Amino acid sequence: MALSLDREAYYRRVRRLYGNWQKGEEEFGAVDAIVVSVGVDEEIVYAKSTALQTWLFGYELTDTIMAFCEDKILFMASKKKVEFLKQVATGKGGDSANGVPNITLLVREKNESNKANFEKMVEALKASKAGKRIGVFSKDKFPGDFMRSWNDCLAKEGFEKVDISAVVAYTMAAKEDGELQLMRKAAAITSEVFSKFFKERVMEIVDADEKVRHNKLAESVEKAIEEKKYLAGADPSTVEMCYPPIIQSGGNYNLKFSVVSDKNHMHFGAITCAMGIRYKSYCSNLVRTLMVDPPQEMQDHYAFLLQLQEEMLKEMRHGARLCDVYGAVMEVVKKQKPELLSKITKNLGFAMGIEFREGSLVINSKNQQRLKKGMVFSINVGFSELANKEGKKPEERTYAIFIGDTVLVDEDGPAIILTAVKKKVKNVGIFLKNEDEEEEEEEKDEAEDLLGRSSRAALLTERTRNELTAEEKRRAHQKELAAQLNEEARRRLTEQKGEQQIQKARKSNISYKNPALMPKEPHIREMKIYIDKKYETVIMPVFGIATPFHIATIKNISMSVEGDYTYLRINFYCPGSALGRNEGNIFPNPEATFVKEITYRASNMKTPGEQTVPALNLQNAFRIIKEVQKRYKTREAEEKEKEGIVKQDSLVINLNRSNPKLKDLYIRPNIAQKRMQGSLEAHVNGFRFTSVRGDKVDILYNNIKHAVFQPCDGEMIIVLHFHLKNAIMFGKKRHTDVQFYTEVGEITTDLGKHQHMHDRDDLYAEQMEREMRHKLKTAFKNFIEKVEALTKEELEFEVPFRELGFNGAPYRSTCLLQPTSSALVNCTEWPPFVVTLDEVELIHFERVQFHLKNFDMVQTGPKLGLLRPKPRAFGSKPGVLRTKSRVLRPKSRVLRTKPRVLGQNKVF
């Protein structure tokens, strides 16, 4: 199949090249023509000549000479390459319709001297402007007879050569949308390989205490890019390493990209890793430092390093000079930690694209070049030769920390990070727990299994002191927590800071402020019941006087027909009546005299001369009172819902189309009676959900207490759940829990289908469901990573630890409760259950016996009353959580994101 060439991209980029040349800035102004010659050399990975070819044509063309003259372009290549280049060759005479000079194609003869072709090219070069000075890439020197004979020909003619590497690099530095798409993909692949392979592998090595050499680990990373599961869906044939991964630890650090991983074993301290992946010729780069049990000083230095990177991102704007970016970062170091000035890396990054490192666009103190929108940089900042005061061994006494990302220069705001790999201390710190107790328990269990029950008594008598000491420590810690808890409760009660039940007096509703507002209707003069809808008042005749009663005073009404009469009974709110709810039992003046009920009677018989029966007035009054009462209660319920609602800031809309967005989601609770699909989009300071009907729900980042991502592993839905600090209003109700979900499979199955278990349709459906699950999980994860990068990780999504989950019944049904790093949640069932662990003061276990499968767990806390359901399940108390007694304590030695150990700061 013939290779295709993007003609529009070629014309667009040649116009940009000629445009900069005609401006005559810097070296461009001194050249009469540009000559680019590419030979064959397998050892050369990056060269300006091949980069220019890739930029123009999308491919590298070996043994090809390109001459860019004032009014024409000449290409000299083999017959096959000439056929390929004919796609952009234009007709005879002048400039083409695309605004670029016409192309002349010369076929290179393999076995001849090509003298005639060389003469044509030299003649064209001499005819271009003054014909004396030619622009070349002086560092690019290719071997071979063809290149040698061409260079001799140029030398013979006496052309003066000018190096134009820097100006051509600046021309190519600002990337187009298509190029940025490839670089984003390269950055995504790099992030996937680091997160899913390298970081996981280091975790395994640390957990198993393996001895692995740096170079062997680097080789395993290179092999990982051959597996499609680490490539974010990319074709492995289009992916390659920019350079061999550089892994360093154990005191030997060199924070450059020209070094190679040594043969030393990996030391469990500060482990720096640099890796760059190239996708379809476009590069990306990522540097991270993993820290195993880092001392506090190391964590402080690392936090300062993150601060420097944030400062650099703010300074990298369109039009800023590279030396000013460098100077701003150095100024922060001088002010805050001047002792680290000699430890910081010499430069802070470089431009990237088809070439991994552009030497003319390095961020240092001397570079006067200006940043342009669309440029992509690898920013790298690190400290080396830092002293570890707690280090005892030689490899522990010095360490280095190094971070780097691929970033995109934007027009207004700070630079955008493309390699969205978390880098806070809790994300790159590996914190080891004390394993002595776990190992002793494992050994004891194994010994019991091997020796049988007869030796159990002997083993119990030989318990070590460490076990007893650990138990004593636990009990002492529980006593401290109990004393602290009692002291806080005593102080809260004495200062009366606890929650007090404030009873609001019933609102006194006045029908009319003065008699003049009373309606002058005939019904009133005729002593009939009249309902004033405007003032929500029922005017009734009482002892011959029209008396107004506000609709709020009426508890209920009933109408009955007995014989020839219709009875209308009206019951009013009054003190002492059993009301059930807290409605109407608190009155402004309870000592006053109250009317409890009024009954009216009217005849059903039509008297002579009357058009209607007298009972018609009662029937109309009954109907209208019901309508007004319903409208009043609905309005009151809405006002009650709005009470205590904290006013939220306005959502700042980001008009950029590249906002993180998830489509085809459902919202719970529903906006309307029927569930509707919509899209969730992240903006500057919050999310906006827009339904297909146009309804909008805004959730601000600063109002989110817990953001939980529930994957679809073992579930029929995939969920993003937001537990809010302050309730928001939508659908005329207030909500503190809002979630967005989509279904990943059939929730209901037709049992009437009598099909074989190996039926092809069923197998195909299962395969499609697996693929759907994978696609949805990937889409949700990408959305989360983009949101966390957008908010600079101020909003972090927590993923429940499914392996630590247990069954419980916080409401009516049993569900799987799973802990996250800061809460205990169930997001798949509705209503959801979210308890913040920091708000739990006391956990009490009830009915824990070995012969029972269930027991109750009571959680108490100052704010837990807001989360407790009404006592429904099993007749238990409020706050009682029914759980299964079959829960086993999991073993976790390496805490990857430093999650809270359950029960560490709780009283049991």
Side-chain angles (χ1 to χ4, degrees):
M1 186 179 72
L3 296 174
S4 61
L5 194 153
D6 189 345
R7 297 179 61 185
E8 292 300 320
Y10 166 79
Y11 294 135
R12 194 167 56 246
R13 292 168 188 177
V14 167
R15 280 197 296 267
R16 192 200 296 185
L17 181 66
Y18 269 82
N20 287 1
W21 183 17
Q22 287 164 6
K23 287 179 185 176
E25 296 177 357
E26 299 180 3
E27 290 86 354
F28 262 148
V31 299
D32 301 317
I34 300 170
V35 176
V36 180
S37 53
V38 178
V40 180
D41 191 348
E42 297 294 335
E43 295 181 2
I44 297 177
V45 180
Y46 302 108
K48 194 69 66 198
S49 307
T50 55
L52 183 62
Q53 285 184 345
T54 306
W55 187 60
L56 291 174
F57 310 121
Y59 300 96
E60 291 183 13
L61 306 177
T62 56
D63 283 339
T64 301
I65 300 171
M66 301 187 295
F68 298 92
C69 302
E70 187 179 13
D71 56 358
K72 62 180 174 180
I73 302 171
L74 290 86
F75 292 149
M76 182 178 175
S78 64
K79 189 175 180 180
K80 284 186 178 179
K81 295 185 181 73
V82 166
E83 289 294 326
F84 169 73
L85 293 171
K86 280 182 180 178
Q87 297 177 65
V88 291
T90 54
K92 295 181 180 180
D95 287 356
S96 71
N98 296 285
V100 299
N102 282 321
I103 296 173
T104 302
L105 299 176
L106 303 175
V107 179
R108 179 177 67 86
E109 302 295 337
K110 289 186 178 180
N111 301 322
E112 296 184 13
S113 61
N114 293 289
K115 186 177 180 181
N117 288 334
F118 285 166
E119 287 176 357
K120 288 180 184 178
M121 298 196 82
V122 170
E123 185 182 343
L125 293 174
K126 287 182 177 179
S128 177
K129 294 187 178 180
K132 294 180 179 179
R133 308 181 75 183
I134 58 173
V136 297
F137 303 131
S138 57
K139 289 185 179 180
D140 294 358
K141 294 177 181 178
F142 290 90
D145 295 336
F146 179 60
M147 287 293 107
R148 198 176 300 113
S149 58
W150 168 244
N151 290 329
D152 291 344
C153 181
L154 288 178
K156 185 179 177 182
E157 296 296 331
F159 288 108
E160 184 183 345
K161 295 182 179 180
V162 179
D163 186 14
I164 57 168
S165 300
V167 287
V168 172
Y170 197 73
T171 302
M172 298 165 56
K175 306 294 185 292
E176 299 173 352
D177 290 341
E179 295 178 285
L180 289 177
Q181 193 173 353
L182 295 175
M183 297 202 77
R184 289 178 191 275
K185 185 68 174 178
I189 295 169
T190 307
S191 305
E192 287 279 300
V193 172
F194 178 86
S195 302
K196 292 187 176 180
F197 179 80
F198 178 77
K199 189 179 177 183
E200 293 292 329
R201 178 68 184 123
V202 171
M203 296 285 187
E204 292 172 5
I205 293 169
V206 174
D207 195 18
D209 199 12
E210 293 181 42
K211 287 189 176 182
V212 179
R213 299 183 188 276
H214 294 143
N215 59 338
K216 294 294 183 185
L217 186 56
E219 288 173 10
S220 66
V221 175
E222 290 190 74
K223 290 179 181 177
I225 67 169
E226 298 173 5
E227 299 183 40
K228 202 168 183 178
K229 63 180 178 179
Y230 299 122
L231 302 184
D235 183 2
S237 63
T238 60
V239 178
E240 59 181 329
M241 300 298 298
C242 296
Y243 57 91
I246 303 167
I247 300 163
Q248 303 174 89
S249 66
N252 297 322
Y253 300 95
N254 187 352
L255 306 186
K256 294 180 180 179
F257 297 101
S258 55
V259 298
V260 294
S261 302
D262 57 31
K263 296 183 179 180
N264 295 334
H265 288 103
M266 189 172 74
H267 175 258
F268 299 163
I271 306 164
T272 65
C273 172
M275 65 171 66
I277 288 178
R278 206 177 183 200
Y279 175 68
K280 292 186 178 178
S281 300
Y282 283 86
C283 300
S284 64
N285 196 30
L286 176 70
V287 184
R288 288 291 182 269
T289 301
L290 299 178
M291 300 175 289
V292 182
D293 274 341
Q296 189 58 45
E297 187 181 29
M298 186 186 293
Q299 295 185 41
D300 294 341
H301 284 154
Y302 186 83
F304 182 60
L305 201 62
L306 294 178
Q307 181 187 340
L308 292 182
Q309 194 192 47
E310 284 294 321
E311 184 66 28
M312 200 187 328
L313 291 172
K314 289 177 186 175
E315 295 293 328
M316 292 182 72
R317 298 170 182 269
H318 177 77
R321 293 188 302 176
L322 293 174
C323 58
D324 294 340
V325 175
Y326 181 87
V329 175
M330 292 301 117
E331 197 62 32
V332 175
V333 180
K334 285 178 186 176
K335 285 182 180 178
Q336 298 188 19
K337 293 194 176 184
E339 69 276 7
L340 296 177
L341 207 56
S342 60
K343 312 285 187 183
I344 199 167
T345 46
K346 291 182 180 179
N347 63 66
L348 301 180
F350 44 81
M352 252 190 339
I354 298 171
E355 287 189 279
F356 173 68
R357 184 180 187 274
E358 180 45 63
S360 61
L361 291 171
V362 176
I363 304 174
N364 57 26
S365 58
K366 299 178 182 178
N367 202 328
Q368 299 292 322
Q369 295 282 16
R370 293 188 179 273
L371 292 166
K372 292 173 71 175
K373 181 186 176 184
M375 286 184 173
V376 177
F377 276 76
S378 171
I379 59 169
N380 316 292
V381 57
F383 297 128
S384 57
E385 297 181 2
L386 297 171
N388 183 10
K389 297 175 184 177
E390 299 180 16
K392 298 176 182 178
K393 299 178 182 178
E395 60 267 22
E396 295 176 353
R397 288 172 188 158
T398 58
Y399 67 93
I401 46 179
F402 197 21
I403 59 172
D405 284 288
T406 303
V407 301
L408 168 64
V409 178
D410 203 3
E411 190 166 4
D412 300 322
I416 302 166
I417 295 177
L418 302 182
T419 44
V421 177
K422 295 179 182 179
K423 51 183 176 286
K424 287 187 177 180
V425 174
K426 62 181 180 180
N427 303 123
V428 298
I430 303 172
F431 299 86
L432 302 177
K433 303 301 290 180
N434 186 9
E435 301 178 5
D436 294 341
E437 295 177 34
E438 293 184 2
E439 288 179 358
E440 287 167 7
E441 288 177 7
E442 289 174 8
E443 289 171 5
K444 184 181 75 174
D445 292 341
E446 289 173 4
E448 286 184 14
D449 292 338
L450 291 170
L451 300 176
R453 296 195 175 204
S454 59
S455 61
R456 185 174 178 183
L459 285 171
L460 288 173
T461 58
E462 294 178 6
R463 281 186 175 175
T464 62
R465 293 179 182 177
N466 290 334
E467 284 182 312
L468 297 174
T469 306
E471 179 64 19
E472 288 171 0
K473 284 181 180 179
R474 191 188 70 80
R475 287 180 179 175
H477 184 53
Q478 290 282 293
K479 285 181 181 179
E480 290 175 10
L481 289 174
Q484 182 183 348
L485 189 64
N486 290 332
E487 183 62 32
E488 288 178 1
R490 188 182 297 110
R491 178 174 51 80
R492 190 168 65 240
L493 292 172
T494 52
E495 295 177 3
Q496 294 184 349
K497 287 186 178 179
E499 294 181 4
Q500 295 180 353
Q501 188 178 359
I502 300 171
Q503 292 185 337
K504 291 184 179 180
R506 183 177 177 82
K507 185 169 67 175
S508 179
N509 293 291
I510 299 172
S511 296
Y512 305 106
K513 292 184 179 179
N514 56 67
L517 296 175
M518 282 272 289
K520 307 292 189 294
E521 295 291 330
H523 279 67
I524 299 174
R525 291 196 297 271
E526 295 170 4
M527 290 298 157
K528 293 182 180 179
I529 298 175
Y530 176 76
I531 294 91
D532 187 353
K533 292 184 180 179
K534 181 180 177 181
Y535 291 97
E536 296 178 329
T537 299
V538 181
I539 301 173
M540 310 180 214
V542 179
F543 299 118
I545 301 171
T547 309
F549 290 88
H550 195 273
I551 198 73
T553 61
I554 297 175
K555 182 181 177 184
N556 54 50
I557 60 174
S558 63
M559 189 174 68
S560 61
V561 179
E562 296 179 9
D564 296 337
Y565 294 95
T566 297
Y567 294 86
L568 179 67
R569 180 176 177 178
I570 303 174
N571 294 320
F572 298 91
Y573 286 116
C574 64
S577 58
L579 300 176
R581 294 183 179 181
N582 294 328
E583 294 180 354
N585 55 350
I586 302 165
F587 294 85
N589 187 11
E591 300 298 325
T593 303
F594 290 84
V595 177
K596 186 175 182 182
E597 65 178 71
I598 294 178
T599 303
Y600 290 93
R601 188 183 75 169
S603 173
N604 294 333
M605 305 299 292
K606 188 175 178 182
T607 57
E610 293 289 334
Q611 294 182 352
T612 58
V613 295
L616 184 63
N617 174 250
L618 296 187
Q619 294 169 4
N620 291 336
F622 176 78
R623 178 177 54 82
I624 298 173
I625 290 172
K626 282 285 188 183
E627 291 175 4
V628 175
Q629 195 176 34
K630 182 180 179 181
R631 191 173 64 216
Y632 173 78
K633 286 184 176 179
T634 303
R635 192 178 71 250
E636 286 290 303
E638 288 179 10
E639 289 178 3
K640 191 175 180 182
E641 288 288 334
K642 290 179 182 177
E643 282 182 10
I645 289 288
V646 178
K647 186 178 180 181
Q648 304 293 317
D649 299 331
S650 299
L651 182 71
V652 180
I653 301 296
N654 188 355
L655 300 177
N656 191 351
R657 291 187 178 181
S658 62
N659 291 338
K661 191 172 184 179
L662 279 176
K663 297 180 180 179
D664 301 328
L665 297 180
Y666 295 105
I667 185 173
R668 282 201 295 200
N670 297 330
I671 301 175
Q673 290 183 348
K674 292 183 179 180
R675 67 174 190 170
M676 287 182 293
Q677 282 190 330
S679 60
L680 181 68
E681 190 169 4
H683 291 279
V684 177
N685 64 337
F687 297 101
R688 168 164 283 183
F689 176 80
T690 308
S691 70
V692 291
R693 199 176 67 177
D695 304 288
K696 291 181 174 60
V697 177
D698 295 341
I699 301 173
L700 301 184
Y701 299 141
N702 58 10
N703 191 33
I704 296 174
K705 191 174 185 179
H706 297 291
V708 181
F709 167 50
Q710 175 70 62
C712 51
D713 301 325
E715 303 287 352
M716 297 305 292
I717 58 174
I718 184 168
V719 180
L720 287 181
H721 184 91
F722 299 109
H723 183 66
L724 308 179
K725 297 174 186 174
N726 301 306
I728 61 172
M729 287 284 296
F730 65 88
K732 298 183 179 180
K733 291 186 179 180
R734 55 192 295 168
H735 306 284
T736 52
D737 287 282
V738 184
Q739 67 176 222
F740 306 95
Y741 71 97
T742 187
E743 296 170 358
V744 295
E746 293 184 3
I747 295 182
T748 58
T749 304
D750 185 4
L751 298 178
K753 291 191 296 185
H754 298 287
Q755 294 180 347
H756 195 265
M757 63 179 291
H758 298 298
D759 186 69
R760 287 187 179 181
D761 291 341
D762 282 356
L763 294 175
Y764 178 72
E766 288 178 11
Q767 178 65 23
M768 290 297 292
E769 185 177 327
R770 279 194 292 269
E771 291 177 5
M772 175 64 73
R773 284 176 181 269
H774 179 70
K775 285 181 182 178
L776 285 172
K777 204 186 301 183
T778 305
F780 273 70
K781 283 184 178 178
N782 290 339
F783 175 79
I784 288 168
E785 288 171 1
K786 288 177 183 176
V787 170
E788 289 179 342
L790 179 68
T791 60
K792 296 184 175 62
E793 298 186 15
E794 290 178 7
L795 175 67
E796 290 193 50
F797 283 82
E798 304 174 62
V799 180
F801 299 108
R802 191 175 182 85
E803 61 273 14
L804 301 180
F806 56 90
N807 290 316
Y811 299 104
R812 289 190 175 184
S813 60
T814 302
C815 56
L816 182 66
L817 299 167
Q818 304 170 70
T820 67
S821 56
S822 63
L824 183 66
V825 302
N826 172 260
C827 301
T828 52
E829 301 288 335
W830 195 262
F833 178 76
V834 181
V835 172
T836 306
L837 295 179
D838 283 340
E839 295 175 359
V840 178
E841 287 184 346
L842 180 68
I843 300 175
H844 180 67
F845 294 96
E846 293 182 352
R847 301 188 305 108
V848 181
Q849 297 178 13
F850 287 110
H851 66 277
L852 295 177
K853 289 185 178 180
N854 302 321
F855 62 90
D856 294 339
M857 183 170 71
V858 184
Q859 302 175 350
T860 63
K863 297 181 181 179
L864 204 57
L866 300 173
L867 301 170
R868 289 188 291 193
K870 291 185 178 180
R872 298 173 180 170
F874 308 104
S876 56
K877 303 173 186 177
V880 173
L881 185 67
R882 180 147 303 197
T883 64
K884 297 281 185 180
S885 60
R886 298 177 297 195
V887 178
L888 300 176
R889 184 167 65 87
K891 298 170 183 175
S892 177
R893 298 176 184 171
V894 180
L895 300 181
R896 305 188 179 182
T897 57
K898 201 176 180 180
R900 185 189 319 280
V901 179
L902 295 180
Q904 188 176 10
N905 293 312
K906 303 288 178 273
V907 181
F908 290 93

